[in-house]
Amino acid sequence: MKHALLNYDLSAALEGLRKKTFSATELTKAYLDQIERTKALNAYITPTPERALADAQRSDQRLANGTARPLEGIPLAVKDNFCTQSILTTAGSTILGNFTPPYESTVTQKLWDAGAILLGKTNMDEFGMGSTTDNATYGKTGNPWDKDCTAGGSSGGSAAAVACGAALGSVGSDTGGSVRQPAAFCGIVGVRPTYGRCSRWGLIAYASSLDQAGTLTRTVADGALMLNLISGHDPRDSTSARQDVPDFTAVCGTSVKGRRVGIPKEWFEEKQDPVILKQWQDGRRCLEEAGCEITFVSLPHISVALPVYYLLVCAEASSNLARYDGVKYGLRAPSPNLMDMYEKTRSQGFSNEVKRRILIGTYVLSQGYYDCYYTKAQTVRRLVIEEFNTIFKEVDILLTPTSPIPAFKWDQAPKDPVTMYWNDILTVPINIGGVCAASVPFGQSSQGMPLGLQIIAPAFQEERLFQFGHILEKGASFPPLPFLSQ
Amino acid sequence: MINTTELDAIAHLARLYLTDAEKQAFAKDLQEIFTWIDQLPDEQITPPPAPLCPSVMRPDEVTEGNIPEAILSNAPASTYQMFSVPPILG
């Protein structure tokens, strides 16, 4: 039997802690027990139970003496690509298998400053490169709805931890869908705010023009609460935006009557899985019943956003990952000379998918190919951005499925990279286009696996994600997460 | 199309050592990927693409310096508060 305290979602747990219905230590112990009970899913790379209990005691003191902070006593999980001071941070890679950061990422520091408790660091695709969390070094993360299926990725450990009750919420990162897709696969809410909304200081770089932190929670309101606390300009990240941070929780439950919702016809006209198509239509109907006006819109370049993404992401990754050379931190392969050491270290420390992307990136940035690949991709990226800007003069949000497929069994994973990359088609245009998006649980596959609907909003209009997300959440009739009925 | 000789050159630029079997496998993967990528349309825009974010300037001042122990704490090898490496010519 699971612990009864796991029934509380984040917002309800905060209330319970403040009313002293239970203590932060009791709540944290319930989550640490659940981490043990769900160990077979392999959501965590490094659990941190001792730190969690010590932090919980401090939270209890604050709750007792009236100095509780906004997330006081809330146990959370963190994707293993956020640097956490003095705690192993691997980014899912062998090359960082012994890396203990001497500093803390801004996003996690904001959580600890708000009183949250770290339960541990979660599994992921190496450096965020993948969408299955099938990690060559740290193992596969199973889906809490069916352990033989993928949890999605690359924030699969963070999504699985929330969906199996082994964390009240978690932070992930989303370069091309890595928060939204695992959230959809695991039946939880995943929010990918606008690039610049959250600081990237201490988030291990994969593709710097696309990486952004995001939240994974059981409910839309919980996501709003967490995003409130991790957003904001950071002088340490020159790409973080000087934008006011509204209270994202304030819009949950407000009316969307008369608002305009766009359906990208280029995607709608593509051959979609009938189950996904029905889910999409049900989502449209839900918003129509809430008083929204639904229209089909055209984004002509959206279908080529995927190859643009893979060109840019590989180019940026090849540059960012040049730092792993065996000199300053991480793995070093024994070798008689420097060049040999570089090559052996990187060959032993990176998995095949990372090597593949480094090779693609090096190729497209090399002399003679730069213009025909990298410049071309930047050109089409600009067109995608302009199309989003134009379309958001006509509609308030766009509605799409989060993924063209539900979570699949491990043995049904695509074997060739192009087919695997194709599964990101609905999420990557958001990162390319500089807008924001969220995935909300809505519908199930014929095998009972969860599906997600994606809400896309203009840059720095995350309030719309929560406002419309709340409506979809209420209209979804989505079943409880499996652990809640155990 | 990328052949194994071209892949050798790229791998060297990327400082990756690849076995013959890896070279063949990656050459095949990259061929498939670039066949797919080549569907990208030729588009012209004015002005040409530029960085999406303007450069942000800050004063050239040390803010968190003088922490050599912390910086070297993860170094595979260090001597006299410096990173140490194998011989460059060896």
Side-chain angles (χ1 to χ4, degrees), chain A residues 131-443:
Chain A
S131 43
T132 57
T133 313
D134 181 0
N135 188 301
T137 308
Y138 305 99
K140 295 171 176 174
T141 294
N143 191 307
W145 294 72
D146 178 348
K147 64 178 173 42
D148 296 326
C149 287
T150 172
S154 65
S155 309
S158 285
V162 174
C164 75
L168 250 177
S170 63
V171 287
S173 63
D174 188 318
T175 304
S178 286
V179 161
R180 290 159 285 154
Q181 184 256 27
F185 278 16
C186 291
I188 60 169
V189 177
V191 179
R192 195 274 185 193
T194 314
Y195 181 82
R197 178 60 93 182
C198 302
S199 169
R200 291 185 298 110
W201 169 264
L203 170 60
I204 294 177
Y206 161 22
S208 301
S209 78
L210 299 153
D211 296 339
Q212 179 62 196
T215 59
L216 298 110
T217 53
R218 282 190 220 169
T219 69
V220 171
D222 289 354
L225 196 61
M226 277 186 71
L227 191 62
N228 272 354
L229 296 165
I230 63 170
S231 297
H233 176 255
D234 176 10
R236 287 166 154 167
D237 173 7
S238 66
T239 63
S240 70
R242 291 180 187 275
Q243 291 272 343
D244 290 339
V245 180
D247 177 7
F248 297 119
T249 62
V251 293
C252 293
T254 58
S255 169
V256 292
K257 196 171 178 186
R259 306 290 290 277
R260 297 158 303 170
V261 175
I263 305 289
K265 67 177 183 186
E266 285 79 6
W267 281 342
F268 198 78
E269 286 164 359
E270 277 212 13
K271 198 177 167 215
Q272 298 280 356
D273 182 315
V275 175
I276 301 288
L277 203 58
K278 181 177 181 309
Q279 170 219 17
W280 200 353
Q281 284 164 339
D282 289 346
R284 283 168 54 194
R285 200 168 303 123
C286 173
L287 292 180
E288 262 174 341
E289 284 167 8
C292 295
E293 185 187 316
I294 313 286
T295 52
F296 280 92
V297 295
S298 178
L299 292 128
H301 284 89
I302 207 167
S303 56
V304 289
L306 194 62
V308 166
Y309 170 80
Y310 274 97
L311 280 172
L312 297 178
V313 92
C314 292
E316 294 185 28
S318 73
S319 175
N320 271 327
L321 272 59
R323 74 192 65 187
Y324 302 107
D325 57 4
V327 175
K328 300 176 290 298
Y329 36 69
L331 181 76
R332 173 184 288 190
S335 197
N337 71 61
L338 188 66
M339 186 62 77
D340 192 63
M341 187 273 279
Y342 287 155
E343 292 193 349
K344 284 191 177 147
T345 297
R346 290 165 62 77
S347 298
Q348 290 172 22
F350 293 138
S351 70
N352 277 347
E353 182 58 32
V354 175
K355 288 179 194 170
R356 189 184 290 132
R357 294 193 193 199
I358 290 174
L359 290 168
I360 295 170
T362 307
Y363 182 68
V364 303
L365 292 176
S366 62
Q367 195 177 21
Y369 297 101
Y370 185 92
D371 279 336
C372 75
Y373 287 117
Y374 187 73
T375 307
K376 194 184 203 180
Q378 289 287 27
T379 303
V380 180
R381 180 180 194 180
R382 178 58 59 89
L383 293 171
V384 172
I385 292 168
E386 285 170 6
E387 283 176 12
F388 273 118
N389 289 342
T390 304
I391 227 68
F392 280 125
K393 288 176 186 156
E394 296 171 27
V395 297
D396 295 300
I397 61 154
L398 297 169
L399 182 72
T400 73
T402 306
S403 167
I405 50 164
F408 45 83
K409 298 229 183 242
W410 292 112
D411 58 4
Q412 289 164 0
K415 300 287 181 279
D416 67 292
V418 173
T419 308
M420 184 58 102
Y421 297 167
W422 194 255
N423 290 334
D424 302 334
I425 186 155
L426 298 170
T427 50
V428 300
I430 283 72
N431 305 59
I432 292 292
V435 291
C436 58
S439 178
V440 177
F442 201 100

Side-chain angles (χ1 to χ4, degrees), chain A residues 91-107:
Chain A
S93 183
T94 303
I95 213 157
L96 286 176
N98 60 359
F99 178 59
T100 308
Y103 70 109
E104 188 78 25
S105 83
T106 297
V107 161

Side-chain angles (χ1 to χ4, degrees), chain A residues 100 236 301 332 347 369, chain B residues 6 17 29 43 64 74 84:
Chain A
T100 308
R236 287 166 154 167
H301 284 89
R332 173 184 288 190
S347 298
Y369 297 101
Chain B
E6 207 165 8
Y17 169 79
D29 284 351
E43 301 275 6
E64 290 165 290
N74 281 283
S84 56

